[in-house]
Short mmCIF file of all heavy atoms in Angstrom, two decimals:
data_model
loop_
_atom_site.label_atom_id
_atom_site.label_comp_id
_atom_site.label_asym_id
_atom_site.label_seq_id
_atom_site.Cartn_x
_atom_site.Cartn_y
_atom_site.Cartn_z
N ARG A 46 59.99 -163.08 134.14
CA ARG A 46 60.85 -162.86 133.04
C ARG A 46 61.09 -164.14 132.24
O ARG A 46 61.24 -164.21 131.02
CB ARG A 46 62.18 -162.22 133.33
CG ARG A 46 61.97 -160.68 133.76
CD ARG A 46 63.25 -160.09 134.19
NE ARG A 46 63.13 -158.68 134.43
CZ ARG A 46 62.67 -158.20 135.59
NH1 ARG A 46 62.29 -158.97 136.61
NH2 ARG A 46 62.51 -156.91 135.76
N ALA A 47 61.00 -165.23 132.99
CA ALA A 47 61.07 -166.54 132.25
C ALA A 47 59.91 -166.67 131.29
O ALA A 47 60.03 -167.24 130.21
CB ALA A 47 61.03 -167.70 133.30
N PHE A 48 58.76 -166.17 131.75
CA PHE A 48 57.57 -166.19 130.89
C PHE A 48 57.64 -165.18 129.75
O PHE A 48 57.37 -165.52 128.58
CB PHE A 48 56.27 -165.97 131.68
CG PHE A 48 55.00 -165.91 130.92
CD1 PHE A 48 54.43 -167.11 130.51
CD2 PHE A 48 54.45 -164.72 130.55
CE1 PHE A 48 53.21 -167.13 129.75
CE2 PHE A 48 53.28 -164.68 129.86
CZ PHE A 48 52.69 -165.82 129.41
N THR A 49 57.95 -163.94 130.02
CA THR A 49 58.00 -162.91 129.02
C THR A 49 59.05 -163.16 127.98
O THR A 49 58.91 -162.75 126.81
CB THR A 49 58.16 -161.50 129.70
OG1 THR A 49 59.43 -161.53 130.43
CG2 THR A 49 57.06 -161.17 130.59
N SER A 50 60.15 -163.90 128.42
CA SER A 50 61.20 -164.15 127.38
C SER A 50 60.72 -165.03 126.26
O SER A 50 61.34 -165.03 125.15
CB SER A 50 62.41 -164.76 128.13
OG SER A 50 62.01 -166.14 128.49
N LEU A 51 59.64 -165.73 126.48
CA LEU A 51 59.09 -166.66 125.41
C LEU A 51 58.50 -165.90 124.24
O LEU A 51 58.22 -166.49 123.19
CB LEU A 51 58.05 -167.63 126.03
CG LEU A 51 58.43 -168.43 127.24
CD1 LEU A 51 57.35 -169.36 127.62
CD2 LEU A 51 59.74 -169.22 127.03
N PHE A 52 58.34 -164.61 124.32
CA PHE A 52 57.64 -163.90 123.32
C PHE A 52 58.59 -162.70 122.67
O PHE A 52 58.21 -162.02 121.83
CB PHE A 52 56.36 -163.23 123.80
CG PHE A 52 55.41 -164.22 124.32
CD1 PHE A 52 55.40 -164.49 125.64
CD2 PHE A 52 54.55 -164.89 123.47
CE1 PHE A 52 54.49 -165.46 126.15
CE2 PHE A 52 53.64 -165.88 123.93
CZ PHE A 52 53.61 -166.11 125.32
N LEU A 53 59.84 -162.67 123.20
CA LEU A 53 60.80 -161.68 122.72
C LEU A 53 61.78 -162.37 121.82
O LEU A 53 62.08 -163.56 121.94
CB LEU A 53 61.53 -161.08 123.90
CG LEU A 53 60.64 -160.29 124.86
CD1 LEU A 53 61.44 -159.89 126.16
CD2 LEU A 53 60.15 -158.95 124.22
N HIS A 54 62.33 -161.58 120.85
CA HIS A 54 63.32 -162.13 120.00
C HIS A 54 64.49 -161.19 119.76
O HIS A 54 64.33 -159.98 119.90
CB HIS A 54 62.71 -162.44 118.56
CG HIS A 54 61.77 -163.67 118.69
ND1 HIS A 54 60.50 -163.59 119.17
CD2 HIS A 54 61.98 -165.01 118.43
CE1 HIS A 54 59.90 -164.77 119.14
NE2 HIS A 54 60.78 -165.63 118.70
N ALA A 55 65.61 -161.71 119.38
CA ALA A 55 66.85 -160.92 119.33
C ALA A 55 66.81 -160.15 118.03
O ALA A 55 67.38 -158.95 118.09
CB ALA A 55 68.13 -161.90 119.31
N ASN A 56 66.27 -160.60 116.93
CA ASN A 56 66.29 -159.78 115.70
C ASN A 56 65.12 -160.39 114.77
O ASN A 56 64.51 -161.38 115.11
CB ASN A 56 67.60 -159.89 115.01
CG ASN A 56 68.21 -161.34 114.87
OD1 ASN A 56 67.42 -162.17 114.26
ND2 ASN A 56 69.32 -161.64 115.40
N LEU A 57 65.00 -159.72 113.59
CA LEU A 57 63.98 -160.06 112.68
C LEU A 57 64.13 -161.53 112.17
O LEU A 57 63.08 -162.29 112.04
CB LEU A 57 63.94 -159.20 111.53
CG LEU A 57 62.87 -159.33 110.51
CD1 LEU A 57 61.46 -159.22 111.18
CD2 LEU A 57 63.01 -158.38 109.30
N LEU A 58 65.31 -162.03 111.88
CA LEU A 58 65.56 -163.36 111.41
C LEU A 58 65.16 -164.38 112.42
O LEU A 58 64.55 -165.41 112.12
CB LEU A 58 67.07 -163.48 110.97
CG LEU A 58 67.43 -164.84 110.44
CD1 LEU A 58 66.67 -165.08 109.07
CD2 LEU A 58 68.97 -164.93 110.12
N HIS A 59 65.57 -164.09 113.72
CA HIS A 59 65.17 -164.99 114.86
C HIS A 59 63.63 -165.08 114.96
O HIS A 59 63.16 -166.23 115.07
CB HIS A 59 65.82 -164.42 116.07
CG HIS A 59 65.61 -165.28 117.32
ND1 HIS A 59 65.68 -164.84 118.57
CD2 HIS A 59 65.45 -166.58 117.40
CE1 HIS A 59 65.54 -165.83 119.47
NE2 HIS A 59 65.40 -166.93 118.73
N LEU A 60 63.00 -163.94 114.83
CA LEU A 60 61.52 -163.94 114.91
C LEU A 60 60.90 -164.68 113.74
O LEU A 60 60.07 -165.57 113.95
CB LEU A 60 61.07 -162.44 114.94
CG LEU A 60 59.57 -162.28 114.84
CD1 LEU A 60 58.86 -162.70 116.09
CD2 LEU A 60 59.22 -160.82 114.53
N ALA A 61 61.35 -164.39 112.51
CA ALA A 61 60.75 -165.02 111.32
C ALA A 61 60.93 -166.52 111.39
O ALA A 61 60.01 -167.29 110.99
CB ALA A 61 61.47 -164.44 110.04
N GLY A 62 62.09 -167.02 111.72
CA GLY A 62 62.31 -168.47 111.69
C GLY A 62 61.43 -169.17 112.74
O GLY A 62 60.83 -170.24 112.38
N ASN A 63 61.24 -168.58 113.89
CA ASN A 63 60.37 -169.22 114.87
C ASN A 63 58.88 -169.19 114.43
O ASN A 63 58.17 -170.12 114.59
CB ASN A 63 60.59 -168.54 116.14
CG ASN A 63 61.67 -168.99 116.99
OD1 ASN A 63 62.21 -170.09 116.71
ND2 ASN A 63 62.15 -168.25 118.04
N LEU A 64 58.46 -168.03 113.91
CA LEU A 64 57.07 -167.93 113.53
C LEU A 64 56.70 -168.78 112.35
O LEU A 64 55.57 -169.30 112.23
CB LEU A 64 56.70 -166.51 113.32
CG LEU A 64 56.75 -165.54 114.55
CD1 LEU A 64 56.12 -164.20 114.26
CD2 LEU A 64 56.10 -166.14 115.72
N VAL A 65 57.62 -169.02 111.43
CA VAL A 65 57.34 -169.89 110.31
C VAL A 65 57.05 -171.30 110.84
O VAL A 65 56.16 -171.97 110.42
CB VAL A 65 58.56 -169.85 109.32
CG1 VAL A 65 58.47 -171.05 108.33
CG2 VAL A 65 58.50 -168.59 108.56
N PHE A 66 57.96 -171.74 111.74
CA PHE A 66 57.65 -173.12 112.28
C PHE A 66 56.43 -173.14 113.10
O PHE A 66 55.69 -174.12 113.04
CB PHE A 66 58.88 -173.47 113.30
CG PHE A 66 60.00 -174.22 112.48
CD1 PHE A 66 61.08 -173.48 111.95
CD2 PHE A 66 59.96 -175.52 112.37
CE1 PHE A 66 62.07 -174.11 111.34
CE2 PHE A 66 60.99 -176.26 111.67
CZ PHE A 66 62.05 -175.52 111.15
N LEU A 67 56.12 -172.16 113.88
CA LEU A 67 54.94 -172.14 114.69
C LEU A 67 53.70 -172.14 113.79
O LEU A 67 52.68 -172.88 113.96
CB LEU A 67 54.87 -170.88 115.60
CG LEU A 67 53.59 -170.76 116.44
CD1 LEU A 67 53.47 -172.01 117.34
CD2 LEU A 67 53.73 -169.45 117.29
N ALA A 68 53.68 -171.36 112.73
CA ALA A 68 52.57 -171.30 111.74
C ALA A 68 52.36 -172.64 111.00
O ALA A 68 51.29 -173.08 110.63
CB ALA A 68 52.76 -170.23 110.70
N ALA A 69 53.56 -173.39 110.82
CA ALA A 69 53.45 -174.64 110.10
C ALA A 69 52.96 -175.77 110.96
O ALA A 69 52.06 -176.56 110.59
CB ALA A 69 54.85 -175.06 109.56
N VAL A 70 53.39 -175.88 112.25
CA VAL A 70 53.09 -177.02 113.04
C VAL A 70 51.95 -176.70 114.16
O VAL A 70 51.27 -177.62 114.57
CB VAL A 70 54.31 -177.59 113.80
CG1 VAL A 70 55.34 -178.10 112.78
CG2 VAL A 70 54.88 -176.56 114.76
N GLY A 71 51.78 -175.42 114.42
CA GLY A 71 50.79 -175.03 115.45
C GLY A 71 49.48 -175.62 115.12
O GLY A 71 48.73 -176.23 115.97
N PRO A 72 48.92 -175.24 113.87
CA PRO A 72 47.56 -175.70 113.55
C PRO A 72 47.43 -177.26 113.62
O PRO A 72 46.30 -177.81 113.89
CB PRO A 72 47.31 -175.17 112.17
CG PRO A 72 48.26 -173.99 112.06
CD PRO A 72 49.43 -174.31 112.82
N LEU A 73 48.44 -178.01 113.29
CA LEU A 73 48.39 -179.42 113.29
C LEU A 73 48.14 -179.98 114.65
O LEU A 73 47.29 -180.87 114.84
CB LEU A 73 49.70 -180.03 112.81
CG LEU A 73 50.13 -179.59 111.38
CD1 LEU A 73 51.50 -180.30 111.08
CD2 LEU A 73 49.10 -180.09 110.34
N VAL A 74 48.76 -179.38 115.64
CA VAL A 74 48.56 -179.78 117.05
C VAL A 74 47.24 -179.24 117.54
O VAL A 74 46.43 -179.92 118.21
CB VAL A 74 49.72 -179.24 117.94
CG1 VAL A 74 49.39 -179.50 119.43
CG2 VAL A 74 51.01 -179.81 117.51
N GLU A 75 46.86 -177.97 117.13
CA GLU A 75 45.68 -177.37 117.74
C GLU A 75 44.45 -178.08 117.26
O GLU A 75 43.46 -178.28 118.01
CB GLU A 75 45.62 -175.93 117.19
CG GLU A 75 44.32 -175.15 117.76
CD GLU A 75 44.48 -173.66 117.53
OE1 GLU A 75 45.58 -173.20 117.11
OE2 GLU A 75 43.52 -172.96 117.77
N PHE A 76 44.40 -178.55 115.94
CA PHE A 76 43.20 -179.13 115.38
C PHE A 76 43.02 -180.59 115.79
O PHE A 76 41.99 -181.18 115.92
CB PHE A 76 43.19 -179.04 113.86
CG PHE A 76 42.98 -177.64 113.39
CD1 PHE A 76 43.58 -177.22 112.21
CD2 PHE A 76 42.29 -176.71 114.13
CE1 PHE A 76 43.42 -175.95 111.76
CE2 PHE A 76 42.11 -175.44 113.64
CZ PHE A 76 42.68 -175.08 112.48
N HIS A 77 44.22 -181.30 116.04
CA HIS A 77 44.16 -182.77 116.36
C HIS A 77 44.41 -183.02 117.81
O HIS A 77 44.16 -184.11 118.20
CB HIS A 77 45.15 -183.48 115.47
CG HIS A 77 44.87 -183.52 114.03
ND1 HIS A 77 43.93 -184.43 113.49
CD2 HIS A 77 45.37 -182.69 112.97
CE1 HIS A 77 43.79 -184.08 112.17
NE2 HIS A 77 44.69 -183.10 111.86
N ALA A 78 44.70 -182.01 118.59
CA ALA A 78 44.97 -182.31 120.03
C ALA A 78 44.23 -181.35 120.93
O ALA A 78 44.48 -181.26 122.10
CB ALA A 78 46.47 -182.29 120.30
N ARG A 79 43.35 -180.57 120.34
CA ARG A 79 42.58 -179.51 121.08
C ARG A 79 43.51 -178.30 121.41
O ARG A 79 44.67 -178.33 121.69
CB ARG A 79 41.98 -180.05 122.38
CG ARG A 79 41.01 -181.15 122.20
CD ARG A 79 40.43 -181.60 123.43
NE ARG A 79 39.48 -182.72 123.25
CZ ARG A 79 38.86 -183.34 124.19
NH1 ARG A 79 38.96 -182.94 125.44
NH2 ARG A 79 38.03 -184.38 123.93
N ALA A 80 42.81 -177.10 121.34
CA ALA A 80 43.57 -175.85 121.46
C ALA A 80 44.23 -175.63 122.70
O ALA A 80 45.41 -175.25 122.79
CB ALA A 80 42.52 -174.69 121.21
N TRP A 81 43.62 -176.04 123.84
CA TRP A 81 44.30 -175.79 125.16
C TRP A 81 45.61 -176.61 125.28
O TRP A 81 46.54 -176.18 125.96
CB TRP A 81 43.30 -176.13 126.26
CG TRP A 81 42.97 -177.55 126.45
CD1 TRP A 81 41.98 -178.17 125.86
CD2 TRP A 81 43.68 -178.51 127.28
NE1 TRP A 81 41.91 -179.56 126.27
CE2 TRP A 81 43.06 -179.74 127.13
CE3 TRP A 81 44.81 -178.50 128.05
CZ2 TRP A 81 43.44 -180.93 127.74
CZ3 TRP A 81 45.25 -179.66 128.70
CH2 TRP A 81 44.54 -180.84 128.57
N ARG A 82 45.62 -177.75 124.59
CA ARG A 82 46.88 -178.53 124.67
C ARG A 82 48.01 -177.86 123.92
O ARG A 82 49.15 -177.90 124.37
CB ARG A 82 46.64 -179.90 124.15
CG ARG A 82 45.78 -180.78 124.99
CD ARG A 82 45.46 -182.12 124.43
NE ARG A 82 44.69 -183.01 125.30
CZ ARG A 82 44.14 -184.11 125.04
NH1 ARG A 82 44.26 -184.64 123.84
NH2 ARG A 82 43.48 -184.77 125.99
N LEU A 83 47.76 -177.20 122.88
CA LEU A 83 48.81 -176.40 122.20
C LEU A 83 49.27 -175.31 123.06
O LEU A 83 50.56 -175.22 123.15
CB LEU A 83 48.20 -175.80 120.86
CG LEU A 83 49.14 -174.77 120.22
CD1 LEU A 83 50.46 -175.50 119.77
CD2 LEU A 83 48.43 -174.16 118.99
N GLY A 84 48.41 -174.60 123.81
CA GLY A 84 48.89 -173.59 124.65
C GLY A 84 49.75 -174.14 125.78
O GLY A 84 50.82 -173.59 126.17
N THR A 85 49.27 -175.33 126.28
CA THR A 85 50.03 -175.94 127.41
C THR A 85 51.40 -176.39 126.99
O THR A 85 52.42 -176.14 127.64
CB THR A 85 49.24 -177.12 127.91
OG1 THR A 85 47.93 -176.76 128.42
CG2 THR A 85 50.01 -177.82 129.02
N VAL A 86 51.49 -176.97 125.77
CA VAL A 86 52.77 -177.43 125.25
C VAL A 86 53.73 -176.27 124.99
O VAL A 86 54.93 -176.33 125.32
CB VAL A 86 52.54 -178.25 123.95
CG1 VAL A 86 53.91 -178.55 123.29
CG2 VAL A 86 51.84 -179.55 124.26
N TYR A 87 53.20 -175.23 124.42
CA TYR A 87 53.97 -174.03 124.12
C TYR A 87 54.64 -173.42 125.43
O TYR A 87 55.82 -173.20 125.49
CB TYR A 87 53.11 -172.99 123.47
CG TYR A 87 53.90 -171.72 123.05
CD1 TYR A 87 54.37 -171.51 121.73
CD2 TYR A 87 54.08 -170.67 123.90
CE1 TYR A 87 54.99 -170.43 121.36
CE2 TYR A 87 54.73 -169.57 123.53
CZ TYR A 87 55.24 -169.36 122.27
OH TYR A 87 55.91 -168.24 121.88
N ILE A 88 53.85 -173.17 126.45
CA ILE A 88 54.28 -172.59 127.67
C ILE A 88 55.20 -173.54 128.42
O ILE A 88 56.27 -173.09 128.88
CB ILE A 88 53.10 -172.15 128.52
CG1 ILE A 88 52.28 -171.14 127.82
CG2 ILE A 88 53.63 -171.62 129.88
CD1 ILE A 88 52.97 -169.84 127.44
#
Side-chain angles (χ1 to χ4, degrees):
R46 289 177 176 80
F48 177 79
T49 56
S50 69
L51 306 182
F52 301 94
L53 297 169
H54 289 82
N56 51 56
L57 183 60
L58 184 62
H59 188 202
L60 173 71
N63 277 342
L64 294 193
V65 165
F66 268 94
L67 180 57
V70 301
L73 301 179
V74 175
E75 183 168 352
F76 293 147
H77 291 282
R79 298 183 183 178
W81 68 268
R82 288 179 177 169
L83 170 61
T85 300
V86 171
Y87 183 96
I88 298 300

